[in-house]
Amino acid sequence: MNEHFLYDERLGIPIPSFKVDWDQFSKKIQQSILFQWEKIRGTIPDRITELEKKINVKQDQLSDEENFIKSCELNSQISELASIINDLWLWYRTNQDISEKVHM
């Protein structure tokens, strides 16, 4: 991954990591970053689908679980996966704001 992105273990994707403000990059560098981000961004829906499948498995386990402590653990895991999905959707929408600034 290039110097403008860092892999986020929780999200399972690289995310932008800038050492300077966006406006300090040249237009050429901005375009390069946007191109790379668009490739990463394209993987987000598949990552979300993967996490949704994990949630479904855990929900199935939860519906059969009789142990209260294990049920709480499953609920916590489901909640964390849902939180990751929410964050991924936020990152997915991030491109729209940045792209509009560059094209203005």
Side-chain angles (χ1 to χ4, degrees), residues 24-87:
Q24 291 180 322
F25 291 115
S26 69
K27 292 292 183 194
K28 183 177 179 180
I29 297 293
Q30 287 179 353
Q31 290 296 336
S32 174
I33 292 169
L34 282 174
F35 178 74
Q36 185 66 36
W37 175 244
E38 194 58 31
K39 290 194 308 190
I40 295 166
R41 186 175 171 266
T43 68
I44 291 175
D46 290 337
R47 176 74 176 129
I48 289 171
T49 298
E50 173 187 323
L51 294 171
E52 288 171 338
K53 288 178 183 176
K54 289 182 179 183
I55 288 174
N56 290 337
V57 168
K58 292 190 180 297
Q59 286 176 326
D60 288 344
Q61 292 172 343
L62 183 59
S63 68
D64 294 333
E65 186 57 57
E66 294 180 15
N67 181 307
F68 178 73
I69 294 173
K70 182 65 177 169
S71 294
C72 291
E73 290 171 3
L74 286 167
N75 268 320
S76 178
Q77 293 167 3
I78 290 167
S79 177
E80 176 59 18
L81 291 169
S83 173
I84 294 168
I85 288 171
N86 185 60
D87 290 348

Side-chain angles (χ1 to χ4, degrees), residues 5-23:
F5 295 89
L6 289 176
Y7 186 79
D8 186 292
E9 290 288 332
R10 179 176 172 269
L11 298 178
I13 62 165
I15 57 172
S17 177
F18 305 144
K19 294 180 175 74
V20 298
D21 289 335
W22 177 254
D23 294 334

